[in-house]
C-alpha cells in the first residue's frame, strides 16, 4: 500500500483537520464528533439538511456542506457508516426550529445508524426529523433478495437540488417530498477498472487483471455484479447508459441532468471522453440534456472507473439546480 | 451476580477479535467492503477502555454500557447489530442470578434484538446463521440438564457449524447481497465474529 498517510487509524480525523484548515471561511468542523458544519448553521427558519456516510467518497459528503447544499455532514470511518451519536449531535446543532431532513444512502449500516439516531431523537424529544433514502443504482436488479438498491450518484444531485429548496425557506414536509421526487426520477450505473485499497486493510479489496473490468459496482471498492473483458469506452458507455435509460424508463423528449462521475482514480480527460459517448447515446435516444456534471464527486478512494447518473428534470428542478451553491466540492452563482 | 465473569468475557472477546481482525477483514474483502475486522477491533478496544475506567456493580449495567459503546464506536451494520445484542442481553439479565436458564433467556433477548434491527432470516448469509443454531444447541443442552459450560460449549460449536454453512450461501442482506451469485463460496464475516464471541463466552462465563 502506497498512500499519503501517517497511521491508517488516523486517516479520517487528520483529513477532517485538513478540511477545517483549508476552508475556515465556509466550514466549522467538530473534530471530536467528526461532523462538518456549514459555518453559519443553524440558519433561523431553515430546514436543516444532514447527510453522512463512510469516509472515502470525497468530496461527498463533507465537501457538499455550505450555502445551498448541506448544513452538516457526519463522517464515518473509511467505508463505514457514522454512528448514531454523531447524527444526533449534528441534528440538534442544525435545528433552527424548522426541523431536519436526513439524507441517507441505502446501505444497511447507514440506514440502521440513521434509524437509531431518529429513535434517539424521538426519545430525546424536540427536533422533528424526516428522512429520505436514496436508492438509484440499477445494477441491483433483484432487490427482493438484496438489501435493496444502493444509493449512489443521485445523492449528489439530490443534495444540491434539495439544498436550494431548503435555502428558499420551504417547510420540512415539502423539502422531504421534493427529496423523494428527485430520488424517484434518478438512476445510476457504475463500473471499475481497478479496486481501491482501504487504508486499514492495507491491500486492494479485489484484484482485476489488466484485461478485465467490473460492471455494476457500488462506491465501496466492492466487486460489482459482473466481471467482463475490458472494452472500448464506447461500449462501456452503452453498458452504463442502456440499463439506466430503460429502468425508469427515460423516454424521447425527456430532459435530464446527465452526470458522469469519476470513482477517484480516473483522470478528467477520460471522464470527458466518457461524457462524449454518453451525450451521443442520449442524443440518439431523443433525450435532452438540460444540465450536465462531469468530475469526481462521489468516489471510492483511488478506484479507477466511472458511473453514469441520469435525473429526469422539469423547469422547477432545473431552476433549483441552477441556484447559487458555495461548498468546497461544488460552487456556482455564489 | 457475577460481574467478573462478564468482564472476563468482554476482555477475552476483545482479545480474540483483535487477534482475528485481519482475518475478519480478509473475509469482508471478498464479499463486502473490507472493514469488519477493523470495526470490531475498534469497538471492543473501546469496551476494554470502558472496563479499565469504570467499575460496575451489576452485570446488566456493564453489558448495557458495553452495548452503547459498540453502537457509538463501531458504525456500519455491525455496530447497531452487536450493540443491540448486548443492550438487550444485559437488560434481560437485570436482577437475575447467572444460571443456564437466565443466560439462555438473555441470549434469546439479545438475538431477538439483532433480528429486529437487521430483519435477517436464516440462510441470508449473515451473523444470524451463527446465532440461530447456537441458540437451538444451547436450548437443547439446557433441556438435557447441561450446566452452563456444557451448554455454552454446545452453542459455540453449533455457531461454528452455522458459520461454515454460510460458505455456499448467496447473500440476501447487507453489502454482500449486491454480489448476487458471486457471494457464494465465501464465509460470512458476521457469522465468523459471532462465533468468536460465543467461543469466548464458552471459555470465560462458566
Amino acid at each position: 500500500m502506497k498512500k499519503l498517510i501517517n497511521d491508517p487509524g488516523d486517516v479520517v480525523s487528520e483529513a477532517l483537520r485538513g478540511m477545517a484548515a483549508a476552508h475556515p471561511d465556509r466550514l466549522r468542523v467538530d473534530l471530536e464528533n467528526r461532523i462538518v458544519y456549514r459555518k453559519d448553521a443553524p440558519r433561523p427558519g431553515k430546514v436543516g439538511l444532514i447527510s453522512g456516510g463512510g469516509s472515502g467518497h470525497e468530496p461527498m459528503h463533507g465537501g457538499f456542506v455550505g450555502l445551498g447544499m448541506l448544513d452538516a455532514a457526519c463522517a464515518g470511518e473509511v467505508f463505514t457508516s457514522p454512528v448514531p451519536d454523531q447524527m444526533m449531535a449534528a441534528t440538534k446543532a442544525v435545528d433552527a426550529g424548522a426541523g431536519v431532513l436526513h439524507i441517507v444512502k441505502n446501505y444497511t449500516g447507514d440506514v440502521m445508524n440513521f434509524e437509531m439516531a431518529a429513535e434517539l431523537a424521538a426519545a430525546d424529544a424536540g427536533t422533528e426529523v424526516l428522512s429520505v433514502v436514496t436508492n438509484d443504482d440499477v445494477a441491483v436488479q433483484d432487490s427482493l433478495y438484496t438489501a435493496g438498491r444502493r444509493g449512489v450518484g443521485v445523492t449528489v444531485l439530490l443534495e444540491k437540488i434539495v439544498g436550494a429548496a431548503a435555502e428558499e425557506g420551504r417547510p420540512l414536509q415539502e423539502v422531504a417530498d421534493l427529496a423523494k421526487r428527485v430520488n424517484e426520477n434518478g438512476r445510476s450505473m457504475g463500473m471499475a477498472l481497478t479496486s481501491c485499497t482501504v487504508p486499514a486493510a492495507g491491500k486492494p479489496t479485489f484484484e482485476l487483471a489488466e484485461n478485465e473490468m467490473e460492471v455494476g459496482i457500488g462506491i465501496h471498492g466492492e466487486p460489482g455484479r459482473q466481471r467482463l473483458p475490458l472494452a472500448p469506452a464506447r461500449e462501456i458507455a452503452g453498458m452504463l447508459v442502456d440499463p439506466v435509460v430503460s429502468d425508469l424508463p427515460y423516454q424521447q423528449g425527456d430532459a435530464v441532468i446527465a452526470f458522469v462521475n469519476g470513482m477517484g482514480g480516473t483522470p478528467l480527460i477520460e471522464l470527458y471522453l466518457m461524457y462524449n459517448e454518453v451525450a451521443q447515446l442520449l442524443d440518439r435516444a431523443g433525450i435532452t440534456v438540460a444540465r450536465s456534471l462531469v468530475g469526481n464527486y462521489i468516489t471510492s478512494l483511488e478506484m479507477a472507473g466511472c458511473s453514469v447518473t441520469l435525473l429526469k428534470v422539469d423547469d422547477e428542478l432545473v431552476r433549483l439546480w441552477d441556484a447559487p451553491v458555495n461548498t468546497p466540492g461544488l460552487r456556482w452563482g455564489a | 451476580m457475577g460481574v467478573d465473569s462478564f468482564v472476563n468475557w468482554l476482555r477475552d472477546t476483545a482479545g480474540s477479535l483483535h487477534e482475528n481482525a485481519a482475518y475478519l477483514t480478509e473475509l469482508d474483502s471478498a464479499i463486502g467492503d473490507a472493514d469488519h475486522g477493523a470495526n470490531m477491533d475498534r469497538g471492543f478496544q473501546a469496551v476494554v477502555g470502558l472496563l479499565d475506567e469504570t467499575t460496575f456493580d451489576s452485570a446488566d449495567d456493564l453489558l448495557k454500557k458495553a452495548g452503547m459503546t459498540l453502537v457509538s464506536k463501531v458504525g456500519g451494520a455491525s455496530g447497531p447489530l452487536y450493540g443491540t445484542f448486548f443492550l438487550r442481553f444485559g437488560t434481560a439479565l437485570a436482577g437475575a442470578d447467572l444460571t443456564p436458564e437466565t443466560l439462555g433467556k438473555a441470549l434469546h433477548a439479545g438475538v431477538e434484538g439483532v433480528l429486529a434491527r437487521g430483519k435477517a432470516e436464516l440462510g441470508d448469509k449473515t451473523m444470524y446463521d451463527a446465532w440461530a443454531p447456537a441458540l437451538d444447541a444451547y436450548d437443547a443442552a439446557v433441556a438435557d440438564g447441561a450446566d452452563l459450560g456444557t451448554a455454552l460449549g454446545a452453542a459455540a460449536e453449533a455457531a461454528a457449524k452455522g458459520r461454515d454453512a454460510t460458505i455456499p450461501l448467496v447473500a440476501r442482506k447487507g453489502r454482500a447481497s449486491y454480489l448476487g451469485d458471486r457471494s457464494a463460496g465465501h464465509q460470512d464475516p458476521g457469522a465468523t465474529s459471532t462465533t468468536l464471541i460465543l467461543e469466548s463466552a464458552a471459555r470465560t462465563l462458566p
Side-chain angles (χ1 to χ4, degrees), chain A residues 77-85 106-110 112-113 115-116 119-120 140 144-150 198 200-201 203-206 214 216 220-227, chain B residues 25-26 28-35 38-39 42 68 70-81 83-84 87 114 117-119 170-175 177-182:
Chain A
E77 281 297 323
V78 172
F79 293 170
T80 299
S81 78
V83 298
D85 309 35
N106 189 33
Y107 289 96
T108 308
D110 292 81
M112 274 188 209
N113 283 283
E115 262 175 21
M116 285 195 93
E119 278 177 32
L120 293 169
V140 182
L144 275 178
Y145 305 104
T146 66
R149 287 182 165 184
R150 300 174 284 217
V198 177
K203 56 183 183 184
T205 303
F206 61 89
E214 286 275 343
H220 297 93
E222 70 270 53
R225 289 289 294 213
Q226 269 185 303
R227 185 162 291 193
Chain B
T25 288
E26 197 181 312
D28 196 26
S29 298
I31 55 173
D33 53 355
D35 64 358
N39 288 348
R42 186 177 58 249
M68 282 311 295
L70 293 176
V71 169
S72 300
K73 295 291 175 190
V74 178
S78 307
L81 291 172
T84 301
L87 272 170
V114 169
R117 197 144 308 281
K119 300 170 185 78
V170 172
R172 291 188 297 233
K173 280 280 183 291
R175 219 165 272 173
S177 68
Y178 300 127
L179 287 174
D181 293 341
R182 293 174 73 189

